[in-house]
């Protein structure tokens, strides 16, 4: 007796990065911001009243929408709140793609995309990044895919590279379905696709408070798009996807974006230093516009990426490793604090 649909039985589900419960592990595996959130966030959480908890929250997360509209110079109607960016992805796919429809995405990219596609019973249409040494680029003609949804992460995960705005504009103009531009790491990048939202009714930007705003534990993300699209997606969301505590905390974080910006600048400075130090050890990697690096282990004679990952782990440093085609020789390393990065460099220096 099968209690669930076949496509659910057949998918393995999403495999999250490890979350150790001890406080001594140097955790460079899931791209959290290494600095704490703004003190205003903790104040906002402490100021939540019993009455706010007794009542249902604002279904739209209105306070947050208004704050985000102000920060981005758009209207609250352009913004939809979600229980993490991951919920946005699930809603976008459910809203746009039916059972026999194609959902298009790149490989390698966010490993949640194929899982959500399978769970929806849709068909995965996979495209490959062209990888030439450390240069990653989108394949030509991707916009002609007959898919209902096309998912592009920019800045990219896991490579950290940034596709130019012109490329995204060209794809948005040529693609007939919903183009989701996943900007989970945009806070660490010099440009965003925000300006394209006014031009194209088929663009949905994903934003999250998990990375740039140090709130991965809160579960808060949002989408930016034209009001007509947001209205439809709103029907597909949970009725109360963001809770009262999360609305208060996320709003306080976004309003204090000057605090967050200081953490981004520190991460970017360390990204530059870590890149140079890893190169000195013989690693190579694409120029990163994110808060992580995809470092290819030094060739020949040295230990492979998998062994480096395992040895680092045994020494209390977690990085991300995937035994997958085209990235099995690489480690994805979140940029940590200067102290954390020094520990990593010390250990790697002994191993390569
Ligand atoms: C972190 C991340 C998200 C969203 O994460 P949430 O914590 O659910 O907001 C989306 N896409 C990519 C590529 C990510 O790395």
């Amino acid at each position: 007796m099968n209690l669930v649909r076949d496509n659910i039985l057949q998918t393995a589900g999403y495999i999250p990065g490890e979350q150790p419960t001890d406080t001594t592990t140097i955790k460079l595996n899931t791209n959290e911001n290494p600095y704490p959130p703004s003190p205003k966030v903790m104040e906002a959480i402490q100021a939540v009243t019993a009455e706010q908890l007794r009542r249902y929250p604002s279904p739209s997360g209105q306070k947050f929408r208004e704050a985000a509209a102000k920060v981005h110079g758009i209207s609250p109607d352009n913004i939809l709140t979600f229980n993490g960016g991951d919920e946005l992805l699930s809603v976008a796919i459910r809203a746009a793609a039916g059972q026999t429809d194609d959902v298009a995405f790149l490989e390698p990219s966010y490993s949640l995309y194929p899982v959500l596609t399978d769970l929806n019973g849709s068909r995965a249409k996979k495209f490959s990044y062209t990888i030439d040494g450390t240069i990653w680029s989108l394949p030509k003609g991707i916009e002609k895919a007959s898919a209902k949804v096309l998912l592009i992460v920019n800045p990219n995960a896991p490579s950290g590279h940034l596709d130019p705005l012109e490329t995204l504009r060209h794809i948005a103009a040529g693609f007939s379905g919903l183009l989701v531009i996943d900007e989970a790491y945009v806070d660490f990048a010099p440009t965003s696709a925000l300006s394209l939202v006014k031009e194209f009714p088929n663009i949905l930007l994903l934003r999250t408070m998990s990375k740039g705003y140090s709130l991965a534990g809160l579960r808060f993300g949002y989408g930016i798009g034209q009001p007509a699209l947001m209205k439809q997606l709103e029907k597909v969301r949970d009725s109360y996807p963001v809770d009262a505590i999360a609305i208060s905390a996320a709003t306080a974080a976004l309003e204090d974006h000057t605090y967050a910006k200081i953490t981004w600048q520190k991460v970017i400075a360390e990204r530059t230093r870590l890149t140079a130090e890893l190169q000195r050890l013989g690693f190579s990697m694409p120029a990163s516009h994110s808060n992580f690096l995809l470092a290819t282990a030094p060739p020949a004679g040295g230990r492979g990426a998998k062994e480096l990952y395992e040895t680092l782990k045994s020494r209390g440093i977690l990085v991300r490793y995937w035994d997958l085609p085209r990235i099995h020789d690489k480690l994805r390393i979140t940029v940590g604090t200067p102290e954390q990065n020094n520990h990593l460099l010390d250990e790697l220096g002994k191993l390569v």
Side-chain angles (χ1 to χ4, degrees):
M1 186 171 56
N2 282 346
L3 299 179
V4 299
R5 290 179 285 131
D6 279 350
N7 52 309
I8 291 171
L9 284 173
Q10 280 153 22
T11 187
Y14 180 63
I15 304 164
E18 296 155 82
Q19 299 292 345
T21 49
D22 68 88
T23 51
T24 53
T25 298
I26 296 179
K27 205 176 159 305
L28 304 176
N29 66 333
T30 50
N31 299 342
E32 287 109 335
N33 189 322
Y35 299 103
S38 159
K40 301 234 168 81
V41 170
M42 303 317 291
E43 284 167 29
I45 291 174
Q46 276 150 15
V48 171
T49 62
E51 182 60 7
Q52 275 177 282
L53 295 181
R54 188 185 68 77
R55 288 180 173 216
Y56 280 100
S58 156
S60 62
Q62 192 57 20
K63 245 178 55 176
F64 180 88
R65 286 172 98 195
E66 285 165 10
K70 219 167 169 181
V71 168
H72 297 309
I74 50 180
S75 150
D77 297 341
N78 289 117
I79 293 162
L80 210 53
T81 54
F82 290 93
N83 183 20
D86 287 352
E87 191 203 16
L88 177 153
L89 294 169
S90 160
V91 165
I93 290 172
R94 266 196 290 153
Q99 299 237 331
T100 53
D101 293 327
D102 284 349
V103 172
F105 51 85
L106 279 295
E107 281 190 327
S109 75
Y110 191 22
S111 54
L112 184 63
Y113 298 160
V115 174
L116 293 176
T117 302
D118 288 350
L119 292 177
N120 198 52
S122 304
R123 293 189 308 207
K125 179 140 188 109
K126 299 174 185 175
F127 292 88
S128 290
Y129 277 103
T130 306
I131 305 177
D132 181 9
T134 59
I135 308 294
W136 288 46
S137 39
L138 287 163
K140 294 253 177 303
I142 189 174
E143 69 281 358
K144 297 195 189 84
S146 64
K148 297 289 185 182
V149 187
L150 169 58
L151 303 146
I152 296 180
V153 200
N154 200 45
N156 182 254
S159 79
H161 87 272
L162 186 70
D163 285 309
L165 207 56
E166 271 320 303
T167 305
L168 296 172
R169 176 179 278 121
H170 175 78
I171 292 171
F175 184 57
S176 60
L178 175 64
L179 173 62
V180 179
I181 304 178
D182 181 338
E183 295 197 325
Y185 299 101
V186 75
D187 299 320
F188 307 99
T191 59
S192 104
L194 184 61
S195 63
L196 297 185
V197 169
K198 285 192 195 77
E199 282 177 58
F200 297 101
N202 62 335
I203 286 187
L204 174 63
L205 293 190
L206 178 153
R207 297 292 182 97
T208 174
M209 303 304 285
S210 294
K211 315 283 171 35
Y213 288 88
S214 310
L215 292 173
L218 190 73
R219 312 307 305 132
F220 202 103
Y222 60 105
I224 304 177
Q226 291 192 4
L229 171 65
M230 303 322 251
K231 246 194 181 132
Q232 299 308 317
L233 296 181
E234 189 165 16
K235 298 181 199 166
V236 185
R237 281 187 329 174
D238 279 351
S239 10
Y240 299 99
V242 286
D243 64 77
I245 299 170
I247 295 169
S248 286
T251 305
L254 199 68
E255 283 175 342
D256 198 10
H257 56 92
T258 51
Y259 170 95
K261 207 171 272 174
I262 294 169
T263 71
W264 308 340
Q265 285 160 354
K266 287 199 261 190
V267 167
I268 290 168
E270 275 299 286
R271 181 178 77 199
T272 305
R273 184 179 74 97
L274 192 57
T275 301
E277 292 293 322
L278 287 171
Q279 282 168 340
R280 216 172 44 82
L281 292 174
F283 289 85
S284 60
M285 66 221 81
S288 173
H289 296 280
S290 282
N291 66 338
F292 55 82
L293 302 171
L294 187 68
T296 303
R303 298 170 207 236
K306 188 172 190 189
E307 196 184 336
L308 289 175
Y309 156 76
E310 281 162 359
T311 312
L312 287 173
K313 187 174 171 180
S314 72
R315 299 185 186 173
I317 301 174
L318 268 186
V319 298
R320 196 83 189 260
Y321 174 76
W322 293 277
D323 205 347
L324 289 174
R326 306 212 290 169
I327 50 173
H328 58 83
D329 58 343
K330 307 181 197 314
L331 299 174
R332 196 198 62 191
I333 303 170
T334 306
V335 178
T337 62
E339 299 73 33
Q340 292 176 321
N341 299 333
N342 285 341
H343 275 293
L344 171 81
L345 289 167
D346 284 349
E347 290 300 339
L348 282 177
K350 291 179 214 159
L351 296 172
V352 299

